Amino acid sequence: MSDYVLSCCSTADVTRELLEERGIAYVYFNYQLDGQMLKDDFGQTNSPAQLYSKMLAGADAKTSQVSVGEYITHFEKFLTQGKDVLHVTLSSGISGTYGSACAARDQLAEKYPDRKVVIVDSLCASAGYGLLMDRLADLRDTGMGIDELAAWAEEHRLEVQHWFFSSDLTFFIRGGRISKAAGLVGGLLKICPVMDVEPNGSLAVKEKIRSKGRAIARDLQKMEELAQGGRNYTGKVFISQSECLVDAEELAHRIETTFPHIDGPVRIYPIGATIGCHTGPGTVALFFWGKPRE
């Protein structure tokens, strides 16, 4: 049994059951719908279908990071039990939550001088963040200590490849990530922007591809180019999707056919409320262990 707790935020976009099964603690992000503050609680309050239905009906959706106070409460649960904490945050390239977690750590240091809170910026998002947490749980279970595990995470986090596309640009336009003019043209031409997460943890549009079928093929091609071991890749593959399960399943089927040695079937998860408030429906995201992002 390790003498520390491995922890993340709900924006890892896997299931609560998986995190609990792996012994990973979690703290909820927050979001608002028409001014009502809610928790990004793995779809318990609003299922993905309910969330996107409300957004498409015009609900004002906003997200907010975990506050310093919420982090203090979360960490203190374990510090009072005599446990240290290794908390891995959502990428600082898309959220300020890393700074909040560090501020909470600093405030708790004086109160608990014999305990340790270590904060790592994942530089990952959605189920890519979840894929990193899953590997960290594996390493923790081999007996790796808190400092060694934190160092491993910082050394290898950029090996989590993120490739995703969206067939519905509505909320990318609404959030200002794509201009209205570009969005109109993209919609008429059935453009699916193919995006990734950059080395600094931010999102970037890499290509603009016509049709979902070609975007799915491009994601598969990127995995062939970048996966550790190429077609002999033996790691896990996670996919997250926002109300486009058929597209995610098509990509998963192609991956399982192309990469016969992957670790188990491709796991498909719903995109959580925090990420979903920005993408809306129609996004498929692929995550695997590959060459370091550069």
Side-chain angles (χ1 to χ4, degrees):
M1 182 73 69
S2 65
D3 59 353
Y4 64 94
V5 172
L6 179 60
S7 172
C8 68
C9 304
S10 60
T11 42
D13 281 358
V14 292
T15 64
R16 181 179 55 177
E17 290 76 16
L18 174 65
L19 294 177
E20 292 176 353
E21 175 187 322
R22 298 309 317 271
I24 301 171
Y26 53 85
V27 59
Y28 294 133
F29 255 63
N30 306 290
Y31 70 103
Q32 294 181 41
L33 278 179
D34 285 336
Q36 181 185 9
M37 183 65 77
L38 301 164
K39 293 293 183 185
D40 182 356
D41 56 5
F42 306 101
Q44 294 177 85
T45 301
N46 281 300
S47 69
Q50 290 171 323
L51 172 63
Y52 300 129
S53 176
K54 291 174 182 178
M55 290 171 63
L56 289 168
D60 182 31
K62 297 179 181 178
T63 60
S64 60
Q65 65 198 42
V66 184
S67 69
V68 175
E70 287 171 319
Y71 273 127
I72 287 174
T73 299
H74 176 65
F75 296 154
E76 209 162 17
K77 288 184 299 186
F78 308 111
L79 298 177
T80 56
Q81 298 171 17
K83 294 276 189 178
D84 295 331
V85 180
L86 170 56
H87 183 79
V88 184
T89 72
L90 178 65
S91 172
S92 61
I94 58 176
S95 170
T97 195
Y98 173 73
S100 296
C102 290
R105 172 202 62 199
D106 294 344
Q107 289 189 35
L108 289 166
E110 185 174 347
K111 187 175 181 180
Y112 298 92
D114 297 326
R115 297 269 59 84
K116 180 186 298 185
V117 176
V118 180
I119 309 298
V120 171
D121 179 358
S122 73
L123 297 177
C124 296
S126 194
Y129 177 17
L131 186 64
L132 176 63
M133 295 308 303
D134 183 71
R135 177 68 66 85
L136 294 180
D138 288 339
L139 294 170
R140 176 207 58 199
D141 291 348
T142 67
M144 190 176 284
I146 186 170
D147 293 322
E148 186 182 3
L149 188 60
W152 191 96
E154 291 183 337
E155 181 179 354
H156 294 278
R157 58 193 172 183
L158 293 183
E159 294 170 17
V160 181
Q161 287 283 338
H162 303 56
W163 289 92
F164 55 106
F165 67 87
S166 181
S167 58
D168 186 337
L169 305 182
T170 302
F171 293 95
F172 289 88
I173 297 168
R174 191 174 295 180
R177 290 168 181 78
I178 295 176
S179 71
K180 289 183 179 179
L184 176 61
V185 172
L188 291 172
L189 297 178
K190 297 184 178 179
I191 296 293
C192 294
V194 173
M195 297 164 271
D196 77 344
V197 172
E198 296 285 277
N200 66 359
S202 64
L203 308 183
V205 176
K206 306 302 284 188
E207 302 177 52
K208 297 175 182 177
I209 294 178
R210 291 186 68 175
S211 84
K212 287 190 296 186
R214 290 179 181 176
I216 289 171
R218 186 57 173 147
D219 269 8
L220 180 65
Q221 184 180 25
K222 295 306 295 187
M223 185 168 172
E224 291 181 89
E225 293 172 2
L226 297 170
Q228 294 174 355
R231 289 197 174 193
N232 292 316
Y233 176 70
T234 58
K236 293 180 181 178
V237 179
F238 287 2
I239 290 175
S240 59
Q241 56 83 29
S242 55
E243 289 303 286
C244 48
L245 181 59
V246 171
D247 299 330
E249 289 176 337
E250 173 63 22
L251 177 57
H253 172 70
R254 294 193 192 187
I255 289 169
E256 289 170 355
T257 301
T258 305
F259 299 87
H261 305 296
I262 61 173
D263 185 356
V266 175
R267 301 188 186 191
I268 301 175
Y269 299 103
I271 290 176
T274 299
I275 305 298
C277 282
H278 297 284
T279 67
T283 296
V284 175
L286 168 64
F287 311 100
F288 56 90
W289 289 94
K291 299 175 183 178
R293 288 175 254 156
E294 57 182 24

